[in-house]
Amino acid sequence: KAGVTQTPRYLIKTRGQQVTLSCSPISGHRSVSWYQQTPGQGLQFLFEYFSETQRNKGNFPGRFSGRQFSNSRSEMNVSTLELGDSALYLCASSLGTVDNSPLHFGNGTRLTVT
Amino acid sequence: EDQVTQSPEALRLQEGESSSLNCSYTVSGLRGLFWYRQDPGKGPEFLFTLYSAGEEKEKERLKATLTKKESFLHITAPKPEDSATYLCAVMSGANSKLTFGKGITLSVRP
């Protein structure tokens, strides 16, 4: 069974630009979550989508947005990039039911903002 | 707000030297406590889920335990390939959000 796939693996952008990251979940998983990982803050929750609806959102500014498509694939967008947005962005998928199914992570997109 | 604290931040062991990693948590309504392993340049890899105090789970040289306030990841006779960052996370409420600790970086010397 294929794991969670994130593209691209690396991105270099300039301050003020915008970026779109893509995530394909494990087949059959309906929940997709996004996390930001930095050395100082660790892993921080961005948002979760389930059946194309945002189910939960973390404490990030409105510049961070996402969406989920009918095939459960998800995209995350960051507008007006700032230097502090440099991080590893991780996507995770799960069955998304109430059985506390574990999250399965992709290998992330490393975003560098210059 | 859910909080997770892991200690120590880093741990260096000799091959075969058993030890434990600690995860303390504060959460309202624990739905699950999760342990992940993360290798450099990769995403976290799921290890265990624990649901209630007293529960234990084992996988090869790893054993995870849970009390009402903390969880331990016991590593028995570690090998160099066990070197990684170990992350603890909790899930609460009616969604799939995980709150993570900052992780423990384990180095096992041959």
Side-chain angles (χ1 to χ4, degrees):
Chain A
K1 203 172 190 181
V4 177
T5 304
Q6 292 188 245
T7 56
R9 284 281 282 137
Y10 302 94
L11 266 177
I12 300 176
K13 291 286 187 179
T14 303
R15 262 186 310 177
Q17 288 185 316
Q18 75 166 18
V19 67
T20 299
L21 313 181
S22 180
C23 172
S24 293
I26 292 172
S27 177
H29 285 192
R30 295 167 63 190
S31 169
V32 174
S33 301
W34 289 88
Y35 288 79
Q36 181 195 66
Q37 186 174 32
T38 58
Q41 299 298 320
L43 276 139
Q44 292 187 293
F45 173 75
L46 281 157
F47 28 67
E48 181 206 2
Y49 288 86
F50 182 83
S51 293
E52 302 180 66
T53 301
Q54 188 179 86
R55 191 157 71 172
N56 198 17
K57 190 177 189 307
N59 298 323
F60 279 81
R63 300 185 297 107
F64 292 81
S65 63
R67 59 178 176 168
Q68 186 182 32
F69 302 96
S70 58
N71 61 359
S72 292
R73 194 177 68 84
S74 177
E75 287 182 348
M76 187 191 109
N77 185 273
V78 187
S79 63
T80 319
L81 284 166
E82 300 177 359
L83 294 179
D85 296 333
S86 295
L88 180 67
Y89 289 89
L90 292 160
C91 169
S93 74
S94 73
L95 291 172
T97 63
V98 294
D99 63 350
N100 307 328
S101 55
L103 299 189
H104 295 273
F105 286 84
N107 286 328
T109 294
R110 171 74 62 185
L111 173 64
T112 302
V113 181
T114 62
Chain B
E1 190 172 312
D2 300 345
Q3 290 190 333
V4 178
T5 302
Q6 292 188 251
S7 61
E9 286 186 15
L11 183 62
R12 297 186 68 179
L13 299 174
Q14 198 69 34
E15 184 172 2
E17 179 187 1
S18 301
S19 187
S20 296
L21 313 181
N22 176 263
C23 170
S24 299
Y25 65 92
T26 303
V27 64
S28 176
L30 181 72
R31 285 180 54 205
L33 184 139
F34 301 81
W35 281 97
Y36 285 84
R37 167 192 170 129
Q38 186 173 24
D39 293 299
K42 293 195 171 183
E45 175 190 349
F46 171 72
L47 293 174
F48 303 110
T49 307
L50 300 168
Y51 296 106
S52 57
E55 189 175 1
E56 299 182 352
K57 293 217 174 146
E58 285 188 70
K59 179 181 178 180
E60 297 179 358
R61 296 177 292 282
L62 301 176
K63 178 180 175 181
T65 62
L66 181 66
T67 72
K68 287 187 177 179
K69 292 184 178 180
E70 56 191 351
S71 176
F72 291 94
L73 185 65
H74 307 277
I75 302 178
T76 302
K79 298 181 177 182
E81 52 262 42
D82 294 322
S83 298
T85 296
Y86 290 86
L87 297 160
C88 170
V90 296
M91 183 184 289
S92 66
N95 54 61
S96 299
K97 169 190 171 184
L98 286 180
T99 299
F100 280 86
K102 295 247 177 113
I104 297 170
T105 301
L106 173 66
S107 298
V108 182
R109 295 165 290 177

